[in-house]
Amino acid sequence: EAFRVDPPDVEFPSAAVTSAADPVDAGADAYVTNVEKRMPFHFGNVSVEAVGVLFLSLEVEVDGTTTTGLSQGGLGPLWYYKDPDMAPHEGSEHMLDLTEHAWTAAIEHGPAPTVFDLWHDLYEAQYAWGGSTPYPPLLLGFGLSLVEGALIDAFCRATDRTFAEAVRENALGIEPGRVYDELAGEEPAEYLPESPARETALRHTVGQTDPLTPGEIPPEDRLDDGLPQSLSEYLETDGVSHFKIKLSADPEKDRAQLRAIRDVLESHGIEEYALTVDANEQYETVEEFRSQWEGHRAAGDLDAFLDRLLYVEQPLPRDEAFTGRTRETFADWSDRPPVIIDESDDRIDTLGTALDHGYDGTSHKNVKGIMTGVINGCLLESRRRENLDREYVLSGEDMTNIGPIELQQDLAVMATLGLDHVERNGHHYNRGLSMFPEDVQSAVLSAHGDLFRRHEEGFATVDVRDGVIQLGSVVDAPFGRSLDLDVSRFTPVEEWDPRSVYA
């Protein structure tokens, strides 16, 4: 209640609608369902055991025809705040407030010539208003991203386009030059792959407390739900070969963890693999990060393992990420690993700031902005062409997203960006789609039978074979989803109590 949203006090320009979103007479409805994870997810200094999942339904007028766009997002605030003392229900209320503010602004906006124009106006309104609130900038983008996703979903369905087609044809009207001057006059098709990826390797997350072998699991914690629980079980059942390892910034603990993971891979005869590490803002300063990383290398026995490293993700807190000493340390550190931002990526132009400070790229997650991710891909490819001797990274990360909507929409963007491996941990920390009614699971299986499979115990789950997931049905569908879903079957947001999920 402390951060109740007021109606936006913003004036927008009006323009005639061509082939674009026009929510003049639009309406928005939101619904929530509670999802309990099959095991706790530990990252940084917080732990998540359950979350509310929000569905946004937005009525959008496109060329005189009203179409329903859907989006989905988990109401997990602790990644945005990294405050273990925050009551999760309070953070969830903040996320709902921000989403309501964004959809209210969209409805009150009036006609816009393109989806990008509307989104860009909403972005400026959300951040202008948010500057006078206690919300972190990263969180401001959450509600906006749900509205953005529903707008794109409606547009693709109304115009019978896939997301990849809408981007390559620039039917969405994306103008990278409005974010970065060096891309003025350019369109996404100039920089993105000619066609979307139709499969991608799954990068498996190894959390700080995730068991590596079945023997590490106490009998009272052993899950009997038909899915793997330890890393070694995932190696045997899913054949994963890409891994994301969570670091704690405790050097001895991290070195022990890295050695243990290496030993498990070697014991299973895994010879071809790649890894990334994620520090989730755990290092207080860039000097501490450098000292510990050089310590890992100096240990000697980890060299061959760390040679498989692709990049380090967000080692520094947001308020330390873009300092002069960070820039100087990165410039002076000739043999450092590639480093990218994640939590620091809280505005549409933050990637440019990161590159200026010596970082090598950023992550993509739909909750940080869909069109922002496309523009980031354009900027990185432009810089790559100019600096052939420098490595640039656009990674595919995760927010433990799940179907029936969010996973497919997120993967549709990843495929369009051409990412050949993506972190997917929603299937690891959740028991497939078992938390949804049977008819919803059946609809997902019918529409996306290449991405999902019917588990032997009856529920729908992600189908991982030899460490790879198939994306054909995702890239061929209007913004990732072929199924229709009546989200009104879930709890109306005004009737949902955020405390219910954390009871």
Side-chain angles (χ1 to χ4, degrees), residues 150-395:
L151 288 171
I152 293 172
D153 187 57
F155 178 82
C156 287
R157 298 177 82 78
T159 61
D160 194 25
R161 284 184 172 94
T162 68
F163 179 75
E165 290 170 343
V167 170
R168 286 202 56 79
E169 298 168 8
N170 210 16
L172 298 171
I174 299 174
E175 299 179 48
R178 288 182 50 187
V179 180
Y180 296 108
D181 291 341
E182 64 194 87
L183 299 177
E186 302 286 2
E187 294 191 353
E190 171 65 25
Y191 297 103
L192 299 184
E194 292 186 4
S195 58
R198 299 190 70 84
E199 66 177 27
T200 189
L202 182 148
R203 185 154 31 87
H204 177 74
T205 299
V206 185
Q208 294 175 19
T209 59
D210 286 350
L212 303 185
T213 64
E216 297 178 13
I217 307 172
E220 64 272 16
D221 294 336
R222 182 69 201 181
L223 301 176
D224 185 19
D225 61 2
L227 294 176
Q229 188 172 355
S230 67
L231 172 61
S232 64
E233 291 170 312
Y234 275 101
L235 295 174
E236 294 166 2
T237 60
D238 290 355
V240 289
S241 61
H242 289 66
F243 308 94
K244 174 170 176 170
I245 302 170
K246 296 287 186 178
L247 296 182
S248 67
D250 178 328
E252 296 304 319
K253 179 179 177 181
D254 286 340
R255 277 195 280 276
Q257 176 80 336
L258 292 170
R259 290 186 179 108
I261 294 171
R262 176 204 59 196
D263 292 347
V264 169
L265 298 184
E266 289 182 353
S267 70
H268 282 75
I270 310 297
E271 298 180 353
E272 299 297 327
Y273 62 89
L275 59 95
T276 70
V277 298
D278 184 7
N280 283 118
E281 307 181 84
Q282 291 294 287
Y283 297 93
E284 294 184 0
T285 66
V286 68
E287 293 88 355
E288 180 187 4
F289 167 55
R290 177 175 182 174
S291 174
Q292 288 200 25
W293 191 262
E294 291 178 337
H296 297 331
R297 279 293 191 177
D301 63 324
L302 286 171
D303 272 354
F305 186 61
L306 293 179
D307 283 344
R308 310 296 185 98
L309 181 80
L310 302 177
Y311 55 83
V312 176
E313 182 184 348
Q314 192 71 41
L316 303 176
R318 276 161 268 189
D319 58 359
E320 285 288 326
F322 302 142
T323 64
R325 66 183 184 182
T326 296
R327 182 192 287 114
E328 293 171 3
T329 298
F330 282 171
D332 181 59
W333 187 1
S334 59
D335 60 346
R336 69 170 174 84
V339 184
I340 69 171
I341 58 169
D342 185 26
E343 289 92 334
S344 288
D345 194 1
D346 55 15
R347 291 179 175 83
I348 60 175
D349 60 352
T350 309
L351 174 58
T353 301
L355 295 176
D356 290 344
H357 282 76
Y359 289 88
D360 301 285
T362 187
S363 63
H364 177 76
K365 301 169 178 173
N366 277 10
V367 295
K368 295 199 302 178
I370 297 162
M371 286 185 276
T372 296
V374 172
I375 293 171
N376 285 344
C378 294
L379 179 65
L380 290 171
E381 179 58 25
S382 175
R383 296 284 182 94
R384 184 178 293 111
R385 294 175 185 179
E386 295 173 359
N387 304 281
L388 297 179
D389 59 343
R390 181 174 174 186
E391 183 174 3
Y392 292 94
V393 178
L394 180 63
S395 74

Side-chain angles (χ1 to χ4, degrees), residues 120-142:
H120 197 274
D121 286 347
L122 296 177
Y123 168 84
E124 292 186 336
Q126 186 88 334
Y127 279 77
W129 164 80
S132 61
T133 71
Y135 300 127
L138 182 64
L139 190 64
L140 293 174
F142 169 79

